Amino acid sequence: MAYMSMGEAHRRITDYLNRFSDAVSSQDVASLKQLLSFSSNSPSLLSLADSLNVFQDANRLIKQSDNYSPFADITVPLFRSLQHYRTGNLVDAYLAFEKSANAFIQEFRNWESAWALEALYVIAYEIRVLAERADRELASNGKSPEKLKAAGSFLMKVFGVLALGTVHLCRSVIRSIETARIFDFEEFPKRDKVTYMYYTGRLEVFNENFPAADQKLSYALINCNPRSEANIRSVSAVLIVVLSQYSNIVQALRRGDLRLLRHALEEHEDHYIIQKQKDPSKAHQMKLDVIVKALKWLEMDMDVDEVECIVAILIHKNLVKGYFAHKSKVVVLSKQDPFPKLNGKPVNS
């Protein structure tokens, strides 16, 4: 490393902290991603690591500044991780980065929008890379490699903050988990496995891969803590087929009464015709939040995502003809025969 003065080291550190603060305040995810990409070995990050070795009072600098202190739980361990990474101490680099990553997730939950999702993906990728390198270091020293398993648990945490609307990011995290085959899925805590299978099962519903969705959601339901009634209800809601506003349809599905269901669907179809006569331009549009309110009146608490999954199953099973307008959270029904007659066919056909 070339000679670096204390003043130059201080300047580089404050430059990084200013860029981090500015990226968050302006919601500049592209800049934030660059500041977190350790494995890129970018010259700016490597020079920052050298600066931290020269100016060794960065922690005080962060905690005493109004601009930097709000992100101290992220940047202090991040700096420590970068220093260890620069010197090749990969186990300690991983441990410090994991602490920073957990703090980032906590901060992410507090932000009003999900603007930093791509930065969260970068963190998930970096923690996996660091874990793999740390495990190689542990194995070379005759110790048990265990960091990749810990990284897997962190990646599953990411599902707790990722919305299903960001499907491409969900897929990226899934790839990170499923391609890291060194650890055994069954070795994870049951709560992590249930969470993972629940969210990936819901994602399969959106992907219209219904056999895989059934397998994953069934796993989540079977292994869910029996005392977690709300969680059981959420999983069950995605597995069962329940149709929107009308109590006779819900009762028919609860009882498994095909005759009642047929009559209920015919009744619903008549109501649809009345709506069409009242407001032809909107007769085929049904807002998901209206369905949520109707189900709540029937003492069935579900959120919009759960209702969307259920309607997707109904569409897949040809019990309803239509499609989703995801941005406006509306089911757009077919203008012709939106509720097909069963004609004696079983519901699960």
Side-chain angles (χ1 to χ4, degrees):
M1 180 184 74
Y3 172 76
M4 184 186 303
S5 68
M6 185 75 72
E8 177 62 16
H10 181 274
R11 186 195 67 77
R12 293 184 184 185
I13 292 168
T14 54
D15 177 65
Y16 178 94
L17 292 170
N18 285 329
R19 288 167 59 201
F20 190 98
S21 178
D22 290 346
V24 174
S25 62
S26 63
Q27 298 187 356
D28 182 357
V29 70
S31 297
L32 188 59
K33 285 163 57 179
Q34 293 178 355
L35 298 173
L36 299 168
S37 299
F38 278 26
S39 62
S40 66
N41 290 320
S42 71
S44 61
L45 286 177
L46 295 177
S47 68
L48 174 62
D50 293 337
S51 301
L52 290 166
N53 289 328
V54 173
F55 183 84
Q56 299 184 359
D57 207 11
N59 289 2
R60 183 184 60 80
L61 177 67
I62 293 170
K63 293 176 180 178
Q64 292 183 355
S65 168
D66 291 338
N67 290 333
Y68 311 147
S69 59
F71 312 112
D73 289 343
I74 299 173
T75 54
V76 168
L78 189 68
F79 279 3
R80 189 162 62 250
S81 176
L82 185 59
Q83 286 180 280
H84 289 307
Y85 181 80
R86 180 63 162 147
T87 58
N89 187 350
L90 296 172
V91 173
D92 287 340
Y94 169 82
L95 292 172
F97 192 89
E98 184 183 48
K99 187 173 182 180
S100 176
N102 282 316
F104 187 92
I105 280 188
Q106 187 59 47
E107 194 68 31
F108 183 92
R109 288 193 180 107
N110 294 333
W111 288 327
E112 292 183 358
S113 68
W115 67 270
L117 271 172
E118 291 185 26
L120 182 59
Y121 168 64
V122 167
I123 288 175
Y125 174 80
E126 292 295 330
I127 203 168
R128 179 193 161 194
V129 170
L130 280 173
E132 289 176 338
R133 295 178 181 178
D135 276 353
R136 285 199 291 269
E137 179 182 305
L138 287 168
S140 67
N141 292 329
K143 297 180 180 179
S144 175
E146 59 184 7
K147 300 309 176 191
L148 194 57
K149 185 190 297 184
S153 292
F154 174 82
L155 292 174
M156 288 186 181
K157 279 185 188 178
V158 172
F159 278 95
V161 295
L162 280 180
L164 282 174
T166 54
V167 172
H168 67 292
L169 291 176
C170 289
R171 288 173 181 156
S172 297
V173 179
I174 289 170
R175 282 196 298 270
S176 294
I177 294 172
E178 294 185 349
T179 57
R181 301 186 182 278
I182 297 175
F183 54 78
D184 184 354
F185 178 77
E186 293 303 324
E187 292 181 1
F188 288 109
K190 182 177 285 189
R191 63 179 183 275
D192 289 342
K193 292 188 290 186
V194 168
T195 301
Y196 178 77
M197 296 298 265
Y198 171 66
Y199 281 108
T200 55
R202 288 178 63 177
L203 186 59
E204 297 292 4
V205 172
F206 279 98
N207 291 336
E208 299 184 359
N209 186 359
F210 292 96
D214 179 61
Q215 179 185 0
K216 291 182 176 183
L217 292 167
S218 295
Y219 178 97
L221 180 62
I222 292 168
N223 292 280
C224 190
N225 187 331
R227 290 176 293 182
S228 302
E229 294 182 6
N231 291 345
I232 291 174
R233 188 164 57 248
S234 295
V235 180
S236 300
V238 189
L239 280 168
I240 65 174
V241 179
V242 180
L243 186 59
S244 70
Q245 292 119 307
Y246 301 92
S247 59
N248 51 359
I249 292 177
V250 175
Q251 289 169 1
L253 291 170
R254 280 175 170 172
R255 297 174 189 171
D257 188 333
L258 293 180
R259 181 175 295 177
L260 178 59
L261 177 61
R262 188 179 299 111
H263 291 317
L265 288 172
E266 289 173 355
E267 180 185 342
H268 194 175
E269 183 176 29
D270 292 340
H271 186 82
Y272 166 78
I273 292 170
I274 293 170
Q275 283 186 314
K276 187 173 181 180
Q277 291 171 346
K278 245 178 117 179
D279 190 351
S281 66
K282 295 185 179 179
H284 62 295
Q285 297 179 13
M286 184 183 296
K287 290 186 177 180
L288 291 177
D289 60 356
V290 172
I291 301 176
V292 169
K293 290 175 183 176
L295 291 171
K296 189 172 184 180
W297 178 77
L298 293 168
E299 298 182 352
M300 300 181 68
D301 289 332
M302 299 183 196
D303 61 26
V304 170
D305 287 336
E306 290 165 345
V307 169
E308 189 168 355
C309 286
I310 290 166
V311 177
I313 293 171
L314 288 169
I315 293 171
H316 173 72
K317 291 180 178 289
N318 296 318
L319 295 173
V320 173
K321 289 183 180 179
Y323 63 91
F324 287 113
H326 290 284
K327 187 173 288 186
S328 54
K329 293 291 184 181
V330 167
V331 183
V332 182
L333 301 171
S334 171
K335 292 185 178 180
Q336 294 185 348
D337 194 23
F339 304 105
K341 295 183 184 297
L342 293 175
N343 294 326
K345 293 186 296 183
V347 173
N348 63 353
S349 64

